[in-house]
């Protein structure tokens, strides 16, 4: 496949240090997903509010990503951006805000993520009533689902289409829904929609067991990995650190060491984009080689760490893989 101008630019100009690693990682990524290889995206941070969906959605549509593990905020915030984009407020001078100005944002129901404020009424509350409907509907039928499955039910019902404020092709969760790929969400409890769910449980309106839990999520991931790790296997592309990355990558040593299954394939590719410097005891700052000692990668696994801002690096790697 001939490469477009973005790919040509980075291969010509990015020759050393982090930029060279970016190119190497992109080329190895392309090799991994060629001829049936699979790729997991593990995504921490606030990538949805950073509108990574503009490039990520196309990666999903073109079968360059086959499963996602993300921090809970990324699942909900992509949909919030889809339905309330015009109500967001950008604060380019966020470093200069006084505590009083931060309090003013709070009083105006604008929740800040770095330089971007999410509008509470148009984003959180707009989703709440529709999510409550799918939660209650499942509960009335004695059914239980994962967090991403509830999001898919809401999207597929069409109730949100009246609110769409961006081009739907730029929503990565909508693209994942259309492809029906799993979005594993470890620690789903750590997000606004889960807080809303918890509030309705406390009010006696919902049962906490309606949403499947973290242990069930790991069981699901085990089954998915067993079904997809043949052939060229599964690669692991990680943005940031934390639970979004550590939870899914541990499925491999869990199968080999705790279940004592034989011949469990290790991850076949690893790349992490991180702005955390190498440090003592930090998962985000751990170099890829450390994962060899945990039975996640082997000595021959192509592995890369690009120490930079994921909002800059990820779209460039995606552009290369997509041939842009």
């Amino acid at each position: 496949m001939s490469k477009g101008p973005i790919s040509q630019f980075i291969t010509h100009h990015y020759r050393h240090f982090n930029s060279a690693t970016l190119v190497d990682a992109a080329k190895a990524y392309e090799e991994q997903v060629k001829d049936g290889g699979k790729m997991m995206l593990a995504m921490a941070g606030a990538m949805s509010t950073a509108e990574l969906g503009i490039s990520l959605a196309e990666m999903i549509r073109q079968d360059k990503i086959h499963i996602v593990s993300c921090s809970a905020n990324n699942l909900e915030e992509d949909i919030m951006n889809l339905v309330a984009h015009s109500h967001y407020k950008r604060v380019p001078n966020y470093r200069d805000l006084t505590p009083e100005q931060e309090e003013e944002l709070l009083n105006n129901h604008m929740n800040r993520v770095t330089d971007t404020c999410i509008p509470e009424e148009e984003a959180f509350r707009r989703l709440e009533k529709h999510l409550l409907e799918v939660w209650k509907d499942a509960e009335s039928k004695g059914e239980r689902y994962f967090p991403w499955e509830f999001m898919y039910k809401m999207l597929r019902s069409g109730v949100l289409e009246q609110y769409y404020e961006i081009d739907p092709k730029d929503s990565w969760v909508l693209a994942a829904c259309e492809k029906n790929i799993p979005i594993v969400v470890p620690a789903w409890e750590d997000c606004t929609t889960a807080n809303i769910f918890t509030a309705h449980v406390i009010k006696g309106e919902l049962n906490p067991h309606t949403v499947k839990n973290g242990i069930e999520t790991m069981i699901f991931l085990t089954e998915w990995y067993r079904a997809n790790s043949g052939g060229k296997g599964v690669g692991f592309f990680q943005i940031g650190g934390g639970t979004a990355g550590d939870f899914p990558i541990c499925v491999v040593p869990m199968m080999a060491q705790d279940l004592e299954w034989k011949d469990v394939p290790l991850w076949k590719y690893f790349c992490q984009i991180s702005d955390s410097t190498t440090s003592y005891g930090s998962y985000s700052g751990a170099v890829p080689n450390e994962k060899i000692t945990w039975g996640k990668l082997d000595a021959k696994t192509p592995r890369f760490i690009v120490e930079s801002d994921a909002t800059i690096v990820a779209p460039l790697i995606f552009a290369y893989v997509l041939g842009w």
Side-chain angles (χ1 to χ4, degrees), residues 15-316:
R15 302 187 181 198
H16 301 281
F17 317 137
N18 270 300
S19 67
T21 304
L22 183 158
V23 176
D24 292 343
K27 290 179 177 179
Y29 189 127
E30 186 175 59
E31 186 62 32
Q32 169 59 30
V33 297
K34 188 171 65 176
D35 302 326
K38 300 290 195 299
M39 187 68 73
M40 167 177 275
L41 168 65
M43 181 166 58
M47 295 298 102
S48 290
T49 293
E51 299 187 71
L52 188 62
I54 294 170
S55 56
L56 174 54
E58 190 62 20
M59 288 285 284
I60 292 169
R61 279 191 292 271
Q62 293 198 24
D63 297 316
K64 309 300 185 184
I65 291 170
H66 306 87
I67 184 171
V68 175
S69 170
C70 68
S71 49
N73 62 294
N74 276 310
L75 176 65
E76 64 184 14
E77 288 177 13
D78 180 78
I79 304 303
M80 291 174 184
N81 181 59
L82 175 65
V83 303
H85 181 78
S86 68
H87 300 277
Y88 279 57
K89 179 180 179 179
R90 186 160 178 265
V91 187
N93 63 325
Y94 66 92
R95 290 182 176 87
D96 302 324
L97 295 178
T98 65
E100 290 74 23
Q101 288 173 314
E102 301 277 22
E103 197 166 65
E104 183 180 350
L105 290 174
L106 167 68
N107 293 335
N108 289 324
H109 306 286
M110 301 295 288
N111 302 121
R112 186 169 68 82
V113 179
T114 312
D115 70 346
T116 304
C117 294
I118 302 174
E120 181 178 318
E121 293 302 318
E122 292 80 8
F124 303 146
R125 303 307 162 203
R126 187 167 284 179
L127 290 186
E128 179 176 4
K129 62 180 180 180
H130 298 300
L131 275 171
L132 187 57
E133 289 172 2
V134 295
W135 288 332
K136 286 188 171 181
D137 180 65
E139 195 165 300
S140 69
K141 298 174 182 176
E143 297 171 347
R144 304 174 65 243
Y145 296 100
F146 289 109
W148 83 86
E149 293 177 311
F150 279 116
M151 284 294 192
Y152 286 2
K153 284 180 176 294
M154 182 174 59
L155 288 170
R156 289 167 181 161
S157 73
V159 296
L160 296 183
E161 291 178 9
Q162 60 185 309
Y163 308 122
Y164 285 4
E165 294 192 353
I166 65 169
D167 191 328
K169 73 177 178 60
D170 292 336
S171 165
W172 73 266
V173 174
L174 191 56
C177 178
E178 291 166 352
K179 280 287 188 178
N180 199 33
I181 70 169
I183 305 176
V184 174
V185 189
W188 175 70
E189 295 79 6
D190 181 23
C191 72
T192 301
T193 49
N195 293 162
I196 291 169
F197 179 84
T198 302
H200 286 285
V201 171
I202 292 170
K203 292 176 183 177
E205 298 170 0
L206 289 171
N207 186 312
H209 302 294
T210 297
V211 178
K212 292 185 177 180
N213 62 36
I215 300 301
E216 291 169 293
T217 303
M218 182 58 84
I219 293 169
F220 171 88
L221 184 54
T222 302
E223 294 167 348
W224 186 93
Y225 193 88
R226 290 190 83 186
N228 288 275
S229 57
K232 291 188 69 175
V234 186
F236 200 94
F237 187 84
Q238 180 174 334
I239 294 174
T243 307
D246 199 32
F247 180 92
I249 204 170
C250 285
V251 72
V252 169
M254 187 271 290
M255 293 163 68
Q257 299 169 20
D258 302 316
L259 283 165
E260 299 182 337
W261 290 348
K262 304 299 181 186
D263 302 319
V264 177
L266 302 184
W267 298 95
K268 298 301 183 183
Y269 162 99
F270 179 82
C271 176
Q272 181 180 11
I273 304 170
S274 176
D275 59 4
S276 176
T277 55
T278 302
S279 58
Y280 306 102
S282 161
Y283 176 74
S284 300
V287 295
N289 280 9
E290 186 176 294
K291 293 171 175 57
I292 296 173
T293 73
W294 289 88
K296 301 168 183 176
L297 311 176
D298 68 27
K300 297 179 181 178
T301 304
R303 52 193 182 275
F304 312 90
I305 182 165
V306 186
E307 295 179 309
S308 188
D309 183 336
T311 62
I312 299 170
V313 171
L316 291 174

Side-chain angles (χ1 to χ4, degrees), residues 2-16 19-20 22-23 26-27 312 315-317 319-320 323-324:
S2 60
K3 294 291 185 181
I6 299 175
S7 299
Q8 292 177 33
F9 179 88
I10 65 172
T11 52
H12 181 70
H13 290 275
Y14 289 11
R15 302 187 181 198
H16 301 281
S19 67
L22 183 158
V23 176
K27 290 179 177 179
I312 299 170
L316 291 174
I317 292 179
Y320 184 89
W324 291 351

